[in-house]
Amino acid sequence: MSLVELIGQADERGLAASGLACLDRCVPLLGGDDEILRPLWAGLADDAGAEEWGERLEQVRGKLGGDGEFGAADGEPGQGSDSGAGSGSGEDEAVLLARRMLAAAPAERSAAGVRAWADACSVAALQIHRLLDPLKDAGDSVDARREGRTEGMSPLVAAELRRQITVLELLAGHGPAGLRPALEVSTEGRRVLRAVVSRRSRRRG
């Protein structure tokens, strides 16, 4: 199935994990450490965690400075041009997209709320990787990638697409037991993006 189809069939936990994993991989752009989202991950393990989602989310926003300034007024998390890859402006846009992902996270972990968020985070995370990839992605848009048209993908975009699909498949196939391997997949992606951001910073220096 394509990524779009997987998101369309995912349940509430799978959708929340999908959106959270996208945000987790982009934490290096927000200046957060590797453990910043662990309380939200822990809350996905049982239904009781849904009641504490909003409180834990606000704590994360406080630590990352995500006070909503990049919220609805600036559009949904996935909005943004495909231009600027390999430039300083591209990295600025990537940071803005990551902040929008955090700002748009729903206060209540309802199926309807997390479905819209997971879908928007999917687009934003792919766009972030496209902006930061030193090699140009040959596709017209990340939407084509999400729908299964994968010819000419750049390496970072291809890896991010694969991770998004894997997280959704793990949750669909294993339920709560899929959370740990999904977190491991996300951790790997975060390390890759952190290395990319570090290399770009050294080149500018």
Side-chain angles (χ1 to χ4, degrees):
M1 284 190 288
S2 70
L3 179 56
V4 170
E5 291 170 325
L6 286 168
I7 291 175
Q9 295 185 17
D11 62 12
E12 178 265 330
R13 180 180 279 110
L15 292 166
S18 177
L20 186 58
C22 288
L23 179 60
D24 201 352
R25 289 190 291 276
C26 296
V27 158
L29 293 167
L30 301 176
D33 61 46
D34 290 345
E35 302 297 317
I36 190 72
L37 299 183
R38 282 300 180 99
L40 290 172
W41 278 107
L44 294 182
D46 54 64
D47 294 334
E51 299 177 0
E52 301 175 358
W53 169 270
E55 180 181 346
R56 294 178 181 183
L57 179 61
E58 285 307 309
Q59 291 173 353
V60 169
R61 283 175 173 153
K63 292 176 181 177
L64 292 176
D67 56 3
E69 62 178 308
F70 298 106
D74 290 304
E76 291 301 316
Q79 289 184 353
S81 73
D82 284 340
S83 63
S87 68
S89 62
E91 188 164 336
D92 291 343
E93 185 175 350
V95 172
L96 178 59
L97 286 169
R99 289 210 169 275
R100 285 175 176 167
M101 290 165 65
L102 177 61
E108 294 185 8
R109 215 182 76 194
S110 65
V114 292
R115 185 175 301 280
W117 183 57
D119 193 61
C121 286
S122 168
V123 174
L126 286 166
Q127 179 67 0
I128 285 169
H129 285 74
R130 183 173 185 169
L131 287 163
L132 298 181
D133 200 327
L135 299 178
K136 182 175 175 57
D137 185 85
D140 293 333
S141 70
V142 297
D143 289 333
R145 304 318 191 187
R146 284 164 29 93
E147 293 167 359
R149 300 195 294 278
T150 59
E151 299 80 11
M153 276 197 297
S154 60
L156 275 184
V157 175
E160 172 60 17
L161 179 67
R162 184 171 62 252
R163 291 186 184 102
Q164 289 191 24
I165 289 173
T166 299
V167 166
L168 286 161
E169 288 178 340
L170 284 167
L171 270 294
H174 304 284
L179 286 169
R180 181 177 292 276
L183 177 57
E184 292 172 354
V185 169
S186 187
T187 298
E188 176 196 9
R190 188 191 329 118
R191 289 171 180 162
V192 169
L193 194 65
R194 194 179 294 281
V196 170
V197 171
S198 178
R199 283 196 297 269
R200 290 172 67 94
S201 178
R202 288 197 299 270
R203 284 202 299 269
R204 287 199 306 271

